[in-house]
Amino acid sequence: MTGPAPLLSAEVATLAPFVDACVLEASAVQVAGVIARSVGGVGPEVLLGAALAARAPLFGHVCVVIETVAGSIVVDDAQLHSMDSLPWPDPVHWAKLLAASPAVSSPGDGPKAVISPLVWDGTRLYLERYWRFENRVAGELLRRALDDGGLTTSSPDLDAILDELFAPDDAATPDLQREAAKRALNRRIAVIAGGPGTGKTRTIARLLGAAYGEALARGRKLDVALAAPTGKAAERMTAALQDEVEEASLREGVADELRVTAARTLHRLLGAHGSGKPRHDHLNPLPHDLVVVDETSMVSLPLMARLLDAVRPDSTLVLVGDPYQLASVEAGAVLGEIVGPSATGPADGPLAPGIVVLDRAHRFGASSQIAALADAIRLGDDNRAVDLLRNDRSDELTWVHDDDKTAITQLQQDLARSAIEVIRKAQSGDNDDAERGLGLAADLKVLCATRFGPLGVFAWSARVEALAARELPGTGIGGRTYVGRPIIVTRNDYFNKLFNGDVGLVVAGLTGPIAVFRDPDKGLRKLALSQLGDIDTWWATTIHKSQGSEFGQVIVTLPRPPSPILTRELLYTAVTRAKRHVTLVAAEESLRAATRRPVQRASGLREKLWPEAISPTRS
């Protein structure tokens, strides 16, 4: 294999073996080169550390653990290269060189005239900005956790409101939803964690009902903001809360307040515009008394730092999400690290009193095989996962082996029939049909671990469009502008107020094809196709992009080992997107590999938040 080493400049030439092995990409090498040119006396070991620290956020890590990095890096073509054969420095010697380098500072260093580009904390190497993000998040969370304030205090009046809103299903069972709402009302920071169907949305709705009820009783106005990381998740949060409002027993005036409370994306909430500085920060904080963030597992470390910077010190922040599913595609696994040992039982620490983990599933029912499969995956029990898929009699689970061409063809035909329905609705030109088309497009979805390959997003989309085009010739299926094309926004478009993850449908307009999107406030929102920026076809999508969504049926596809994408969190996230049925297209070794391997992200946040946590046990 001919590597790109001759293209490397002299100051980074020592990185050539790592570039050849596909460990380091151009952006990481460029960062190392800038550091080498800006700071004198940077040796090859420090240069390698700098490049690895720059690489880390691209793969979800906040930092690099020098002692284990050689054994933890995986690249897509790792079978062609042995990581052990690379010229890795001795970790002990490497650590000493990092600690002594002029390009590196340590957390205990005093103020410097010039900020060092790297930070070494004795075990982990950070780019300075990510070390700053991590410390800002840890410091602000702990400050809020130790604050005695909250929206309100415990009182007989508050208990009366909570008793109205949380009618217990079983008096003998502690009502964790009620407890979560009460803690959120009494603290500056609270976390409501739990898997799918455990009642997180119900808890949020009744928490808001109690907050508004208390405010109305005291004759004061309460300013509330609801947010989620993506447009899709914000839309789903709004719809789910409105459904809960209609079911809840709310006092006069409270329901009216909730009906006009809609979720926004975090970027909209913070006033972010492109890559510039958000409008809201500690100098211009958010005006809200209560900020509730759903799908927090998708929030990256930098975004969490900006959120905490913008929420007023005397406001309450409630983080809601599933700590077991995929973390943000960007750096950090913030929700999982905040929940920490509380995910498996009682724990000691400043954050612990504000965390409630909901562990009783309501959505699926006691006998749900989807829930059972999700639990097996979450616990890393691959034998149980195989058994459930192999012996399911509930009509909730189907297992198709990845070499069963007949069964896969049948799945593609089923998907094509669903696609043809969507296309026909889109062709009618009727607003109601456009709504129905959007709903149909979201009812059956292929969730792929990868974009490429025979089971990837592109292959599924191409096959579905080819089959639909046979049935509907002359409709231009496969092009950018064909009527009936479901689309997903892949990059924030601030001018048109479209955000990464928003989904829409190309429909027939009065003068040609247009795109429609759901708007929480206005129903259908129509845009000319020329207004759209970066979009993809949405017959199939990656599992990462499915976060924050819910579908009636999902077809989940996995590649063969040793693909580095196969992880427990990936498979758990895919399975828990389904409400009625899961079809897994995968070899047994893929299923077992994914179930056994949890995501490992290098970070120091958990250690900062839970330095003395006890080994927990579930009560």
Side-chain angles (χ1 to χ4, degrees), residues 290-494:
L290 172 63
V291 178
V292 181
V293 180
D294 198 13
E295 296 290 353
T296 308
S297 65
M298 300 166 63
V299 178
S300 67
L301 181 71
L303 185 55
M304 181 59 72
R306 294 185 180 105
L307 173 65
L308 289 166
D309 192 41
V311 176
R312 288 194 337 248
D314 61 338
S315 297
T316 291
L317 176 63
V318 180
L319 305 177
V320 184
D322 185 348
Y324 312 111
Q325 74 173 26
L326 276 170
S328 164
V329 295
E330 298 177 62
V334 180
L335 180 64
E337 292 174 312
I338 292 173
V339 174
S342 295
T344 52
D348 285 338
L351 291 175
I355 298 173
V356 175
V357 180
L358 306 178
D359 56 6
R360 183 180 175 191
H362 300 273
R363 180 201 300 172
F364 297 114
S367 61
S368 168
Q369 295 303 286
I370 295 176
L373 177 60
D375 279 342
I377 295 166
R378 177 175 61 84
L379 297 170
D381 189 344
D382 57 315
N383 290 326
R384 174 69 172 150
V386 168
D387 182 64
L388 285 165
L389 283 160
R390 186 173 284 156
N391 301 305
D392 179 65
R393 299 291 184 269
S394 67
D395 199 31
E396 292 183 48
L397 304 175
T398 301
W399 188 4
V400 173
H401 287 264
D402 63 358
D403 56 359
D404 188 340
K405 291 184 172 54
T406 301
I408 292 174
T409 298
Q410 183 61 55
L411 288 174
Q412 292 169 339
Q413 291 171 345
D414 292 343
L415 188 62
R417 279 192 290 272
S418 176
I420 289 166
E421 281 192 70
V422 173
I423 293 167
R424 284 177 170 154
K425 294 293 184 189
Q427 289 173 337
S428 79
D430 181 80
N431 281 350
D432 289 341
D433 278 343
E435 283 270 17
R436 294 186 190 102
L438 276 168
L440 285 170
D443 186 63
L444 172 61
K445 193 60 57 184
V446 184
L447 308 181
C448 306
T450 61
R451 292 182 300 156
F452 300 99
L455 294 177
V457 170
F458 297 142
W460 277 92
S461 292
R463 184 59 179 156
V464 167
E465 288 181 334
L467 290 170
R470 291 182 191 175
E471 182 72 19
L472 302 171
T475 53
I477 293 173
R480 178 181 170 85
T481 62
Y482 75 87
V483 172
R485 181 192 181 199
I487 52 178
I488 181 169
V489 177
T490 59
R491 181 178 295 181
N492 291 338
D493 177 356
Y494 295 92

